[in-house]
Amino acid sequence: MAKTLLFIVNPRAGRTRSAAPMFDAVAHFCEEGYLVSVRRTAYPGHATEIVEAEGGNFDRIVCCGGDGTLNETVRGIMSLSAPPPLGYIPGGSTNDFAASLSLSSDPLQAARQITSSPGKRLDVGTFNGRPFIYVASFGAFTRASYSAPQSIKNDLGHLAYILEGVRDLSTLRPYPAVVALEEEIFDGEFLFGAVTNATSVGGLMKLHRDHVILDDGLFELLLIPNPTNALELQDLIRSLILQDFTGSGIIFRHVPAVTVETPEGFPWTLDGEYGAGAEKVEIRNLRQQLTFLL
């Protein structure tokens, strides 16, 4: 019996509109003995719907697009009773999770990696029960990842996020919150917070690879408290410029779970896409719950 592969493609992601690289990837899958079914997404959330409806009938699922397409595909897979392994061909303008995994941005090379991979079980997060693959964040710069128009992302790539992040500074404000870990509680005002399982956050902040293990059941928690004086602000700016998230003015922890309570349900982003907030958010790490082909 032929092996089956569901190939989900977001035709709007990334800078190129040429379909030739996708044909090369599909041809490779066929050469490796897979019966390939291609589905193109047409609107936000479509990849999740496709996987929920059809994913259980396939031996493999591969998605091509940006982090948002990957997030939607993961959400669909996590709803299945027997989730098949997932492959990812990064095709967006900024692909944080692909960078963490050192995945090739060349579709044919990525397809070769997928078919030669024995599979590796990676952690998945949940945000009040909703699955995400690599980051949930709030505050400064998080709006940049979903408010920059897709056309601008396609044309400018990483620069689009930088420009949108700078514009976000004009409305920078602290967010009051109580952040509870297993053995610590941080109660205060924060400019930024992220619960992440990647070396890159929003295409802007970089974590050292030694700090991030994708299958250890732990997230990396990054909190930036609101500076209360000029010295704290100076230390914070220095840490951000040097991308040093272990210095003073920044809270950095490895945690299996985080609870965030706030008097207002401020917005979050999940894998770079808008996620509605709530007064109480529970984030959990589901250790090694997804088989990834990499």
Side-chain angles (χ1 to χ4, degrees):
M1 181 179 295
K3 300 175 290 184
T4 56
L5 186 149
L6 176 61
F7 189 29
I8 299 173
V9 180
N10 179 353
R12 296 167 305 284
R15 304 184 189 187
T16 178
R17 289 294 182 268
S18 172
M22 293 302 100
F23 284 124
D24 291 339
V26 171
H28 175 75
F29 291 142
C30 293
E31 291 167 358
E32 291 296 312
Y34 286 95
L35 182 61
V36 181
S37 296
V38 180
R39 302 287 185 271
R40 297 198 307 170
T41 62
Y43 48 82
H46 196 190
T48 300
E49 295 176 6
I50 293 171
V51 175
E52 288 177 341
E54 305 180 43
N57 300 323
F58 291 85
D59 299 312
R60 299 286 187 274
I61 296 176
V62 177
C63 68
C64 177
D67 291 333
T69 305
L70 176 62
N71 174 276
E72 291 184 12
T73 304
V74 168
R75 289 172 59 192
I77 288 178
M78 294 301 293
S79 72
L80 302 176
S81 57
L86 171 65
Y88 178 39
I89 298 178
S93 46
T94 296
N95 301 286
D96 286 323
F97 195 63
S100 300
L101 296 173
S102 299
L103 298 181
S104 174
S105 60
D106 175 72
L108 178 56
Q109 181 57 34
R112 289 170 175 164
Q113 287 180 286
I114 289 168
T115 55
S116 64
S117 171
K120 182 178 178 60
R121 297 191 68 83
L122 300 183
D123 300 343
V124 175
T126 60
F127 178 95
N128 281 352
R130 173 182 169 178
F132 67 92
I133 189 65
Y134 78 91
V135 67
S137 61
F138 70 86
F141 298 114
T142 58
R143 191 171 61 88
S145 59
Y146 61 80
S147 61
Q150 185 63 53
S151 60
I152 300 299
K153 294 179 186 178
N154 292 345
D155 292 338
L156 300 181
H158 178 75
L159 180 59
Y161 294 86
I162 299 294
L163 295 176
E164 194 68 22
V166 170
R167 191 177 76 171
D168 202 28
L169 290 176
S170 64
T171 59
L172 191 63
R173 68 180 183 87
Y175 292 81
V178 177
V179 181
L181 315 181
E182 284 187 327
E183 298 180 352
E184 292 180 283
I185 295 178
F186 301 101
D187 185 352
E189 294 186 330
F190 303 93
L191 296 180
F192 174 81
V195 182
T196 179
N197 202 29
T199 58
S200 178
V201 180
L204 296 168
M205 297 182 177
K206 308 294 183 181
L207 298 176
H208 196 278
R209 289 187 177 275
D210 291 344
H211 292 154
V212 181
I213 301 175
L214 303 181
D215 61 352
D216 62 352
L218 298 175
F219 287 124
E220 283 60 58
L221 169 68
L222 182 65
L223 292 173
I224 300 180
N226 187 36
T228 59
N229 56 56
L231 180 58
E232 289 183 359
L233 178 60
Q234 180 180 337
D235 289 342
L236 173 59
I237 292 173
R238 178 181 179 277
S239 295
L240 292 175
I241 291 175
L242 297 177
Q243 297 284 282
D244 176 15
F245 304 119
T246 60
S248 61
I250 293 180
I251 298 168
F252 184 80
R253 300 287 189 274
H254 302 282
V255 296
V258 179
T259 299
V260 180
E261 295 189 67
T262 174
E264 54 179 301
F266 49 68
W268 290 67
T269 65
L270 302 180
D271 297 338
E273 301 297 312
Y274 176 80
E279 291 185 358
K280 183 176 182 180
V281 169
E282 294 184 347
I283 300 173
R284 300 288 180 265
N285 185 298
L286 306 180
R287 187 176 187 186
Q288 300 181 13
Q289 288 295 299
L290 177 66
T291 300
F292 219 93
L293 302 169
L294 47 85

